[in-house]
Amino acid sequence: MKRLFRPIYLQKRFFMILTALIVGFVISYMVPNLFGALKVLFFVLVLLLIVDIILLFASKGKVQGHRILTDKLSNGDENPIQLQLMNGYLFPVKVKVIDEIPFQFQKRDFLLETKLPSGGEKMFHYQLRPTERGVYSFGSLNIFAVSPIGFLARKHTFGQSQEVPVYPSFLQLQKYDLLAFTNRLHEYGLKKIRRIGHTMEFEQIKDYVLGDDIRNINWKATAKRGQLMVNQYQDEKSQPVYSVIDKGRVMKMPFNGLSLLDYAINATLVISNIALKKQDKAGMFSFSDKIENRVVAERRSSQMNLILETLYNLETNFIESDFSRLYVDVKRSLNQRSLLLLYTNFETMDALHRQLPYLVAMAKQHLLVVIFFENTELNEFAHKKAETVHQIFEQTIAEKFIYEKKLIVNELRKHGIQTILTKPEDLTVNTINKYLEIKARGLI
């Protein structure tokens, strides 16, 4: 019996009419002539309730629902989720949809409402933005069907628990791939870098065509052929590019839902793909108190999958990072001069000076790019209008920290270390620009 009544839910319309009848019966004690009419209305209500039960539970067909998920979700991006609804009843129904989305989103007010004609079908689209990597569990898809009478709703449950992994931002990876293919990279802030000098490898001698650089004319070949010939160059290839991710406590700071570590992970995925497209070798490793998650720089077809899986499984411990251990490992394991993109964060000059000797030592053997972050919340706070003396004092402190970030950049550059000071949301674009600049200048 309990199982029979479990999917039945009385609706607001039924309670409103029932309440009106109860009030009417109370009034009929003072106005006896109303009692007969109210009695008839009560039996009509009971009859309609029975008809509603028959329509929803005894008639042919029922409402069908299906949740359509991708194989994996992209961290930090809006991921599309689809719900497919079908009405198998012989009459139109009003439906309410409650999808049990993963607890990580802390979204407890999910509700969709629509009307479906008999035999009708409808697709719903909504989006979810995960901010943590890992496995997310979807619960049931609950659909409440209401007949035209509207006294009852029948609950239909579909799609038992589904688990979907959340990977580093592969949607961002696809976006930059598409923009590069359609030559629209400038729309997202990517710059065209002017090449300086001959920083490329010789490829071949070819006939001169209008637009070729006249500085590349090969005069010996021109004399032999009797027509202008030019040297053609190509970018130097097979250069190791390593993304070095600091997963210590300084990378725990959150911005717009994502930690600095996750911004670094997403940028690593994109820059590794671009390096491979440029015929370079892409690799990565992470560090805190020890070196972990190592992927040796290679240029093979499976390299991106290997990097993606390594980034997905990158576990954080958020303890103090040991730059001396990083230096020792780089000196021992990287024999070829490489581009090291070091994702970390420095808030004060004191924090930099503790690690500066190790950074300078690494920069002697490799091309080191130190990438750290602006505190965007401090920037916003510093530009607000101060109304009290206390707020002026707080803004002065905030401006001091902002200025100290600029001093850190100058200190690193003074020691010949390339730097990127970036907003977290601009990290990927600024890292790509720096990589393209380094390639154009032939620094590695």
Side-chain angles (χ1 to χ4, degrees), residues 325-373:
R325 186 176 292 272
L326 171 65
Y327 164 66
V328 170
D329 184 87
V330 167
K331 187 174 182 180
R332 288 178 177 174
S333 60
L334 302 184
N335 298 321
Q336 182 181 354
R337 178 174 167 82
S338 306
L339 171 60
L340 303 181
L341 301 171
L342 173 59
Y343 300 93
T344 185
N345 199 33
F346 297 111
E347 291 292 336
T348 64
M349 287 292 291
D350 289 338
L352 172 66
H353 285 146
R354 287 196 297 270
Q355 315 301 347
L356 189 57
Y358 307 112
L359 298 177
V360 172
M362 283 189 288
K364 290 179 179 178
Q365 297 177 322
H366 304 278
L367 179 57
L368 177 64
V369 180
V370 176
I371 306 168
F372 62 111
F373 300 89

Side-chain angles (χ1 to χ4, degrees), residues 22 37 53 125 225-227 240 271 415 423:
I22 292 172
I53 293 174
H125 302 266
R225 292 287 301 273
Q227 63 183 45
I271 197 66
H415 289 85
K423 296 177 181 178

Side-chain angles (χ1 to χ4, degrees), residues 28 35 48 105 118 138 177 181 189 191 237 241 345-346:
S28 68
F35 184 76
L48 289 174
F105 296 102
S118 176
F138 285 80
D177 253 0
F181 179 75
K191 304 172 185 175
K237 299 178 180 179
V241 178
N345 199 33
F346 297 111

